Amino acid sequence: MLMRVFLGWLRGERGHCRMVAIPSLAEEDAKRPSRERENLVSEKTRIVNRMKGALARLGIRGFKPELRRAPKKLPDLRTSEGQPLPPNMLEEMRRDMARLAVVRDQITTIEKARIAQLEQAPASGVMQWLCYWRA
């Protein structure tokens, strides 16, 4: 496969193969906060969707598990038949909400660190990676 790509490049076929510059260690490291934040936001979305799906199976609609005060309202939730949440489901929801709080705190920490770095460093090539997801 590599030979085929290289032969196409030697023949001069446009767009067949491109050479890229390998980023330096500092440039690659500067991308880490952005990538980590992206992964954490995906994790947050996954947790919220899983909780909403579990609640929908019980016929509970309109409850927003992503709100910070949602854990306090969990004991008051009722299924569509008027029953309280089953005990195992309630404990799972509490654990998911605790996980969501940790992820939310980690996102906040990364964003604060990025803002602090932007304020301290001049606009250089390395710091430009931090600027593209400015809040």
Side-chain angles (χ1 to χ4, degrees), residues 83-100:
Q83 299 293 322
L85 291 179
N88 291 330
M89 173 79 151
L90 185 62
E91 290 305 313
E92 179 185 352
M93 295 295 283
R94 285 187 177 136
R95 286 189 298 271
D96 281 342
M97 288 183 180
R99 218 174 274 127
L100 182 62

PDB file of all heavy atoms in Angstrom, residues 83-100:
ATOM      1  N   GLN A  83     -45.157   5.646  40.801  1.00  0.00           N
ATOM      2  CA  GLN A  83     -44.267   4.970  41.734  1.00  0.00           C
ATOM      3  C   GLN A  83     -42.943   5.748  41.848  1.00  0.00           C
ATOM      4  O   GLN A  83     -42.523   6.405  40.906  1.00  0.00           O
ATOM      5  CB  GLN A  83     -43.947   3.550  41.224  1.00  0.00           C
ATOM      6  CG  GLN A  83     -45.160   2.653  41.076  1.00  0.00           C
ATOM      7  CD  GLN A  83     -45.766   2.328  42.417  1.00  0.00           C
ATOM      8  OE1 GLN A  83     -45.051   2.121  43.389  1.00  0.00           O
ATOM      9  NE2 GLN A  83     -47.081   2.304  42.491  1.00  0.00           N
ATOM     10  N   PRO A  84     -42.296   5.680  43.009  1.00  0.00           N
ATOM     11  CA  PRO A  84     -40.965   6.307  43.101  1.00  0.00           C
ATOM     12  C   PRO A  84     -39.950   5.503  42.281  1.00  0.00           C
ATOM     13  O   PRO A  84     -40.220   4.371  41.889  1.00  0.00           O
ATOM     14  CB  PRO A  84     -40.636   6.243  44.592  1.00  0.00           C
ATOM     15  CG  PRO A  84     -41.491   5.163  45.125  1.00  0.00           C
ATOM     16  CD  PRO A  84     -42.730   5.105  44.260  1.00  0.00           C
ATOM     17  N   LEU A  85     -38.801   6.097  42.042  1.00  0.00           N
ATOM     18  CA  LEU A  85     -37.763   5.395  41.294  1.00  0.00           C
ATOM     19  C   LEU A  85     -37.333   4.137  42.043  1.00  0.00           C
ATOM     20  O   LEU A  85     -37.234   4.158  43.281  1.00  0.00           O
ATOM     21  CB  LEU A  85     -36.535   6.283  41.108  1.00  0.00           C
ATOM     22  CG  LEU A  85     -36.668   7.479  40.179  1.00  0.00           C
ATOM     23  CD1 LEU A  85     -35.352   8.252  40.150  1.00  0.00           C
ATOM     24  CD2 LEU A  85     -37.032   7.047  38.785  1.00  0.00           C
ATOM     25  N   PRO A  86     -37.090   3.047  41.326  1.00  0.00           N
ATOM     26  CA  PRO A  86     -36.580   1.843  41.995  1.00  0.00           C
ATOM     27  C   PRO A  86     -35.242   2.152  42.676  1.00  0.00           C
ATOM     28  O   PRO A  86     -34.473   2.989  42.206  1.00  0.00           O
ATOM     29  CB  PRO A  86     -36.387   0.841  40.845  1.00  0.00           C
ATOM     30  CG  PRO A  86     -37.249   1.356  39.735  1.00  0.00           C
ATOM     31  CD  PRO A  86     -37.324   2.834  39.903  1.00  0.00           C
ATOM     32  N   PRO A  87     -34.946   1.495  43.794  1.00  0.00           N
ATOM     33  CA  PRO A  87     -33.749   1.836  44.579  1.00  0.00           C
ATOM     34  C   PRO A  87     -32.432   1.724  43.792  1.00  0.00           C
ATOM     35  O   PRO A  87     -31.566   2.586  43.909  1.00  0.00           O
ATOM     36  CB  PRO A  87     -33.771   0.852  45.744  1.00  0.00           C
ATOM     37  CG  PRO A  87     -34.982   0.034  45.604  1.00  0.00           C
ATOM     38  CD  PRO A  87     -35.731   0.445  44.404  1.00  0.00           C
ATOM     39  N   ASN A  88     -32.280   0.661  43.004  1.00  0.00           N
ATOM     40  CA  ASN A  88     -31.046   0.513  42.229  1.00  0.00           C
ATOM     41  C   ASN A  88     -30.909   1.603  41.167  1.00  0.00           C
ATOM     42  O   ASN A  88     -29.811   2.105  40.904  1.00  0.00           O
ATOM     43  CB  ASN A  88     -30.959  -0.866  41.579  1.00  0.00           C
ATOM     44  CG  ASN A  88     -30.748  -1.954  42.596  1.00  0.00           C
ATOM     45  OD1 ASN A  88     -30.147  -1.718  43.640  1.00  0.00           O
ATOM     46  ND2 ASN A  88     -31.260  -3.141  42.313  1.00  0.00           N
ATOM     47  N   MET A  89     -32.027   1.957  40.566  1.00  0.00           N
ATOM     48  CA  MET A  89     -32.028   3.026  39.558  1.00  0.00           C
ATOM     49  C   MET A  89     -31.672   4.361  40.211  1.00  0.00           C
ATOM     50  O   MET A  89     -30.913   5.159  39.652  1.00  0.00           O
ATOM     51  CB  MET A  89     -33.408   3.100  38.905  1.00  0.00           C
ATOM     52  CG  MET A  89     -33.587   4.251  37.974  1.00  0.00           C
ATOM     53  SD  MET A  89     -32.818   3.877  36.429  1.00  0.00           S
ATOM     54  CE  MET A  89     -33.817   4.817  35.357  1.00  0.00           C
ATOM     55  N   LEU A  90     -32.212   4.596  41.385  1.00  0.00           N
ATOM     56  CA  LEU A  90     -31.939   5.841  42.115  1.00  0.00           C
ATOM     57  C   LEU A  90     -30.455   5.956  42.442  1.00  0.00           C
ATOM     58  O   LEU A  90     -29.847   7.016  42.245  1.00  0.00           O
ATOM     59  CB  LEU A  90     -32.789   5.890  43.389  1.00  0.00           C
ATOM     60  CG  LEU A  90     -32.724   7.165  44.206  1.00  0.00           C
ATOM     61  CD1 LEU A  90     -33.235   8.348  43.411  1.00  0.00           C
ATOM     62  CD2 LEU A  90     -33.541   6.999  45.475  1.00  0.00           C
ATOM     63  N   GLU A  91     -29.862   4.864  42.909  1.00  0.00           N
ATOM     64  CA  GLU A  91     -28.432   4.881  43.239  1.00  0.00           C
ATOM     65  C   GLU A  91     -27.573   5.055  41.988  1.00  0.00           C
ATOM     66  O   GLU A  91     -26.569   5.770  42.004  1.00  0.00           O
ATOM     67  CB  GLU A  91     -28.040   3.598  43.984  1.00  0.00           C
ATOM     68  CG  GLU A  91     -28.607   3.519  45.381  1.00  0.00           C
ATOM     69  CD  GLU A  91     -28.231   4.729  46.214  1.00  0.00           C
ATOM     70  OE1 GLU A  91     -27.047   5.119  46.222  1.00  0.00           O
ATOM     71  OE2 GLU A  91     -29.132   5.296  46.865  1.00  0.00           O
ATOM     72  N   GLU A  92     -27.971   4.420  40.895  1.00  0.00           N
ATOM     73  CA  GLU A  92     -27.236   4.589  39.636  1.00  0.00           C
ATOM     74  C   GLU A  92     -27.290   6.036  39.166  1.00  0.00           C
ATOM     75  O   GLU A  92     -26.285   6.592  38.713  1.00  0.00           O
ATOM     76  CB  GLU A  92     -27.816   3.662  38.570  1.00  0.00           C
ATOM     77  CG  GLU A  92     -27.118   3.788  37.228  1.00  0.00           C
ATOM     78  CD  GLU A  92     -27.760   2.961  36.138  1.00  0.00           C
ATOM     79  OE1 GLU A  92     -28.677   2.159  36.433  1.00  0.00           O
ATOM     80  OE2 GLU A  92     -27.354   3.123  34.981  1.00  0.00           O
ATOM     81  N   MET A  93     -28.455   6.644  39.279  1.00  0.00           N
ATOM     82  CA  MET A  93     -28.607   8.047  38.872  1.00  0.00           C
ATOM     83  C   MET A  93     -27.742   8.951  39.745  1.00  0.00           C
ATOM     84  O   MET A  93     -27.123   9.901  39.253  1.00  0.00           O
ATOM     85  CB  MET A  93     -30.070   8.479  38.953  1.00  0.00           C
ATOM     86  CG  MET A  93     -30.982   7.762  37.982  1.00  0.00           C
ATOM     87  SD  MET A  93     -30.593   8.117  36.275  1.00  0.00           S
ATOM     88  CE  MET A  93     -31.292   9.710  36.111  1.00  0.00           C
ATOM     89  N   ARG A  94     -27.679   8.671  41.028  1.00  0.00           N
ATOM     90  CA  ARG A  94     -26.837   9.470  41.924  1.00  0.00           C
ATOM     91  C   ARG A  94     -25.359   9.347  41.540  1.00  0.00           C
ATOM     92  O   ARG A  94     -24.623  10.325  41.546  1.00  0.00           O
ATOM     93  CB  ARG A  94     -27.046   9.050  43.376  1.00  0.00           C
ATOM     94  CG  ARG A  94     -28.349   9.556  43.939  1.00  0.00           C
ATOM     95  CD  ARG A  94     -28.456   9.274  45.420  1.00  0.00           C
ATOM     96  NE  ARG A  94     -29.706   9.839  45.920  1.00  0.00           N
ATOM     97  CZ  ARG A  94     -30.520   9.232  46.746  1.00  0.00           C
ATOM     98  NH1 ARG A  94     -30.224   8.015  47.198  1.00  0.00           N
ATOM     99  NH2 ARG A  94     -31.617   9.802  47.147  1.00  0.00           N
ATOM    100  N   ARG A  95     -24.938   8.118  41.235  1.00  0.00           N
ATOM    101  CA  ARG A  95     -23.538   7.923  40.824  1.00  0.00           C
ATOM    102  C   ARG A  95     -23.248   8.639  39.505  1.00  0.00           C
ATOM    103  O   ARG A  95     -22.199   9.264  39.349  1.00  0.00           O
ATOM    104  CB  ARG A  95     -23.229   6.429  40.695  1.00  0.00           C
ATOM    105  CG  ARG A  95     -23.100   5.720  42.029  1.00  0.00           C
ATOM    106  CD  ARG A  95     -22.579   4.309  41.855  1.00  0.00           C
ATOM    107  NE  ARG A  95     -23.467   3.460  41.062  1.00  0.00           N
ATOM    108  CZ  ARG A  95     -24.460   2.726  41.566  1.00  0.00           C
ATOM    109  NH1 ARG A  95     -24.695   2.742  42.874  1.00  0.00           N
ATOM    110  NH2 ARG A  95     -25.202   1.979  40.781  1.00  0.00           N
ATOM    111  N   ASP A  96     -24.189   8.574  38.565  1.00  0.00           N
ATOM    112  CA  ASP A  96     -24.002   9.270  37.289  1.00  0.00           C
ATOM    113  C   ASP A  96     -23.949  10.785  37.485  1.00  0.00           C
ATOM    114  O   ASP A  96     -23.159  11.477  36.832  1.00  0.00           O
ATOM    115  CB  ASP A  96     -25.120   8.918  36.304  1.00  0.00           C
ATOM    116  CG  ASP A  96     -24.907   7.568  35.646  1.00  0.00           C
ATOM    117  OD1 ASP A  96     -23.769   7.067  35.686  1.00  0.00           O
ATOM    118  OD2 ASP A  96     -25.886   7.016  35.092  1.00  0.00           O
ATOM    119  N   MET A  97     -24.768  11.291  38.386  1.00  0.00           N
ATOM    120  CA  MET A  97     -24.747  12.729  38.643  1.00  0.00           C
ATOM    121  C   MET A  97     -23.455  13.155  39.334  1.00  0.00           C
ATOM    122  O   MET A  97     -22.935  14.233  39.065  1.00  0.00           O
ATOM    123  CB  MET A  97     -25.973  13.137  39.450  1.00  0.00           C
ATOM    124  CG  MET A  97     -27.235  13.101  38.629  1.00  0.00           C
ATOM    125  SD  MET A  97     -28.666  13.654  39.537  1.00  0.00           S
ATOM    126  CE  MET A  97     -29.924  13.489  38.288  1.00  0.00           C
ATOM    127  N   ALA A  98     -22.917  12.304  40.184  1.00  0.00           N
ATOM    128  CA  ALA A  98     -21.620  12.591  40.810  1.00  0.00           C
ATOM    129  C   ALA A  98     -20.515  12.582  39.747  1.00  0.00           C
ATOM    130  O   ALA A  98     -19.628  13.439  39.749  1.00  0.00           O
ATOM    131  CB  ALA A  98     -21.319  11.571  41.899  1.00  0.00           C
ATOM    132  N   ARG A  99     -20.582  11.612  38.837  1.00  0.00           N
ATOM    133  CA  ARG A  99     -19.627  11.545  37.729  1.00  0.00           C
ATOM    134  C   ARG A  99     -19.721  12.790  36.858  1.00  0.00           C
ATOM    135  O   ARG A  99     -18.708  13.359  36.444  1.00  0.00           O
ATOM    136  CB  ARG A  99     -19.943  10.300  36.899  1.00  0.00           C
ATOM    137  CG  ARG A  99     -18.750   9.585  36.376  1.00  0.00           C
ATOM    138  CD  ARG A  99     -19.134   8.289  35.679  1.00  0.00           C
ATOM    139  NE  ARG A  99     -19.235   7.207  36.643  1.00  0.00           N
ATOM    140  CZ  ARG A  99     -20.285   6.402  36.790  1.00  0.00           C
ATOM    141  NH1 ARG A  99     -21.334   6.525  36.038  1.00  0.00           N
ATOM    142  NH2 ARG A  99     -20.285   5.458  37.698  1.00  0.00           N
ATOM    143  N   LEU A 100     -20.939  13.225  36.602  1.00  0.00           N
ATOM    144  CA  LEU A 100     -21.168  14.426  35.796  1.00  0.00           C
ATOM    145  C   LEU A 100     -20.577  15.655  36.475  1.00  0.00           C
ATOM    146  O   LEU A 100     -19.978  16.509  35.815  1.00  0.00           O
ATOM    147  CB  LEU A 100     -22.670  14.606  35.558  1.00  0.00           C
ATOM    148  CG  LEU A 100     -23.101  15.774  34.695  1.00  0.00           C
ATOM    149  CD1 LEU A 100     -22.553  15.636  33.286  1.00  0.00           C
ATOM    150  CD2 LEU A 100     -24.621  15.859  34.650  1.00  0.00           C
TER     151      LEU A 100
END
